């Protein structure tokens, strides 16, 4: 295990995560709002990705497009490091005497990486979603001044009481939200939507990492040298796009379950199955692919940048060590 430099790979994952998320965060915010938008009686707040982007910019300004980026940048370093290092680690222990890993072992390695990252991903995304969706909720509540007191009471009750405390301060920071949840619900509150996150991230990684490995291998030089940055970037974009579309239905369910406070008139959910059934009945199968275009535009460059930086070997360069890879 001495030849697998975890420190260098953690540096690679951290740098890749911060650079990637900083570039695509506004699109991620648009994705969150589109996924949380519930269409009833044909009424939409946002008609498309571009419409949502323009309305957010007009109503909340440039800063509005980056709501929640603080918690994302803070936690993206360990999250991406765990994901990318985890895949390399599992590929290392599953290697077969210098031979290429069979597909099932590649999928096991990717699934293991996805499992490990959820410990960071679940609370990070739960906190980020509250900040990203706050503007949509405020706008919808303004558009629905006639909501009855009885309806409001039901909404508060169905969001398990802690939404009442959150509603009292619309500008709470991620830290304040986390502290409030921990006091009231313990780790269960902070890890709201953990099961749905698992069901999204493990399949994603089982698809993404093997596909990336095979695409990236096509760019390796005849003398065994690693693929170019551009090839690794494109490979990450293609693999990320395919994996993100495949798990988008679970991403929609996860996003809705993690929302702590519903806007006026929005449906509430008690679990994964309840959410899936209600979305299907009320909005149809297309609702499971809401934000799919945004998600591709987020995941493709995010993982393209991540894998490009990671495979260039920034960490190895900083530490002055040789880069090794396990296939």
């Amino acid at each position: 295990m001495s030849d697998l430099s975890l420190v260098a790979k953690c540096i690679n994952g951290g740098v890749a995560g911060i650079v990637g998320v900083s570039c695509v965060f506004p699109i991620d915010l648009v994705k969150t709002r589109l996924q949380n938008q519930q269409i009833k009686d044909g009424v939409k707040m946002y008609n498309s990705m571009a419409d949502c982007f323009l309305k957010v910019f007009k109503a909340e300004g440039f800063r509005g497009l980056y709501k929640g980026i603080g918690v994302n940048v803070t936690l993206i370093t360990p999250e991406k490091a765990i994901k990318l290092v985890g895949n390399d680690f599992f590929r290392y222990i599953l290697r077969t005497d210098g031979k290429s890993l069979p597909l099932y072992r590649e999928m096991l390695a990717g699934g293991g990486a996805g499992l490990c990252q959820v410990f960071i991903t679940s609370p990070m995304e739960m906190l980020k979603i509250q900040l990203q969706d706050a503007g949509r909720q405020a706008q919808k509540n303004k558009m629905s001044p006639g909501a009855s007191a009885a309806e409001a009471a039901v909404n508060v009750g169905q969001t398990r009481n802690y939404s009442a405390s959150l509603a009292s301060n619309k500008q709470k920071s991620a830290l304040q939200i986390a502290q409030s949840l921990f006091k009231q619900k313990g780790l269960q509150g902070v890890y709201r939507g953990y099961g749905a996150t698992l069901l999204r991230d493990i399949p994603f990684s089982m698809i993404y990492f093997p596909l990336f490995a095979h695409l990236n291998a096509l760019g390796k030089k005849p003398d065994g040298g690693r693929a170019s940055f551009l090839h690794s970037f494109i490979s990450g974009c293609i693999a990320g796009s395919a994996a993100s579309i495949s798990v988008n239905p679970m991403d929609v369910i996860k996003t809705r379950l993690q929302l702590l406070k519903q806007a006026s008139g929005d449906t509430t959910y008690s679990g994964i199955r309840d959410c899936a059934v209600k979305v299907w009945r009320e909005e149809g199968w297309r609702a499971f692919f809401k934000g799919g275009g945004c998600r591709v535009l987020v995941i493709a460059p995010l993982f393209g940048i991540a894998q490009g930086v990671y495979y260039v070997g920034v960490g190895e360069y900083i530490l002055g060590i040789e880069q090794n890879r396990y296939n």
Side-chain angles (χ1 to χ4, degrees):
M1 189 69 188
S2 59
D3 52 348
L4 178 62
S5 176
L6 294 180
V7 175
K9 296 185 186 305
C10 283
I11 294 173
N12 288 334
V15 171
I18 291 174
V19 172
V21 80
S22 298
C23 294
V24 301
F25 193 83
I27 306 174
D28 185 63
L29 181 138
V30 171
K31 180 211 69 132
T32 297
R33 296 205 178 178
L34 289 175
Q35 288 185 336
N36 277 323
Q37 176 178 242
Q38 298 182 20
I39 303 171
K40 296 184 177 180
D41 300 322
V43 178
K44 293 182 180 180
M45 181 178 293
Y46 307 118
N47 295 314
S48 65
M49 186 192 314
D51 181 59
C52 180
F53 184 91
L54 292 173
K55 285 181 177 176
V56 171
F57 182 76
K58 183 177 180 180
E60 303 169 52
F62 180 78
R63 293 182 62 183
L65 294 169
Y66 280 87
K67 281 184 177 178
I69 194 173
V71 65
N72 219 29
V73 168
T74 300
L75 295 179
I76 198 68
T77 297
E79 191 260 1
K80 276 292 174 285
I82 290 171
K83 190 182 191 80
L84 297 174
V85 171
N87 180 64
D88 259 10
F89 172 76
F90 286 114
R91 289 178 72 91
Y92 177 87
I93 63 175
L94 290 170
R95 71 196 189 283
T96 53
D97 299 326
K99 298 179 181 178
S100 296
L101 287 178
L103 181 60
Y104 80 94
R105 291 199 178 200
E106 289 185 310
M107 294 180 71
L108 283 175
L115 176 64
C116 293
Q117 78 164 87
V118 173
F119 178 74
I120 297 292
T121 305
S122 185
M124 175 185 76
E125 294 209 352
M126 191 276 294
L127 296 172
K128 178 192 70 173
I129 285 169
Q130 314 316 313
L131 301 174
Q132 287 183 325
D133 198 55
R136 181 193 69 87
Q137 294 176 25
Q139 289 296 317
K140 186 169 183 180
N141 289 336
K142 286 180 181 180
M143 294 165 60
S144 306
S148 66
E151 181 184 355
V154 169
N155 286 338
V156 170
Q158 290 180 329
T159 49
R160 305 181 185 182
N161 296 323
Y162 44 70
S163 65
S165 63
L166 293 172
S168 64
N169 188 350
K170 295 179 180 178
Q171 299 302 317
K172 277 190 173 182
S173 66
L175 180 60
Q176 289 173 322
I177 294 172
Q179 289 174 334
S180 176
L181 280 172
F182 187 76
K183 287 179 181 178
Q184 295 180 40
K185 290 288 182 178
L187 285 176
Q188 181 182 357
V190 178
Y191 279 88
R192 180 182 175 103
Y194 182 82
T197 308
L198 275 174
L199 292 176
R200 181 199 66 174
D201 286 354
I202 292 178
F204 177 93
S205 296
M206 291 179 72
I207 297 169
Y208 172 78
F209 282 111
L211 181 55
F212 171 78
H214 285 273
L215 291 173
N216 195 62
L218 297 176
K220 288 186 176 180
K221 299 176 182 177
D223 60 359
R226 61 176 179 259
S228 66
F229 176 90
L230 179 60
H231 187 90
S232 292
F233 174 81
I234 294 174
S235 298
C237 287
I238 294 172
S241 297
S244 64
I245 286 295
S246 300
V247 301
N248 200 77
M250 188 52 65
D251 188 55
V252 171
I253 292 173
K254 178 203 72 71
T255 299
R256 294 200 180 187
L257 287 177
Q258 287 187 321
L259 195 61
L260 298 175
K261 183 168 71 71
Q262 302 290 345
S264 176
D266 278 357
T267 301
T268 56
Y269 312 104
S270 61
I272 295 173
R273 184 178 182 279
D274 179 62
C275 181
V277 170
K278 287 180 177 177
V279 170
W280 180 277
R281 287 177 179 172
E282 296 177 5
E283 303 173 61
W285 66 269
R286 294 179 185 274
F288 290 107
F289 291 92
K290 279 185 177 179
C294 287
R295 184 163 166 77
V296 168
L297 290 178
V298 169
I299 296 296
L302 177 60
F303 276 85
I305 292 169
Q307 290 291 11
V309 172
Y310 191 68
Y311 270 74
V312 163
V314 175
E316 287 85 353
Y317 177 79
I318 292 173
L319 297 176
I321 61 177
E322 182 180 355
Q323 186 181 33
N324 290 295
R325 185 97 19 223
Y326 297 94
N327 299 315

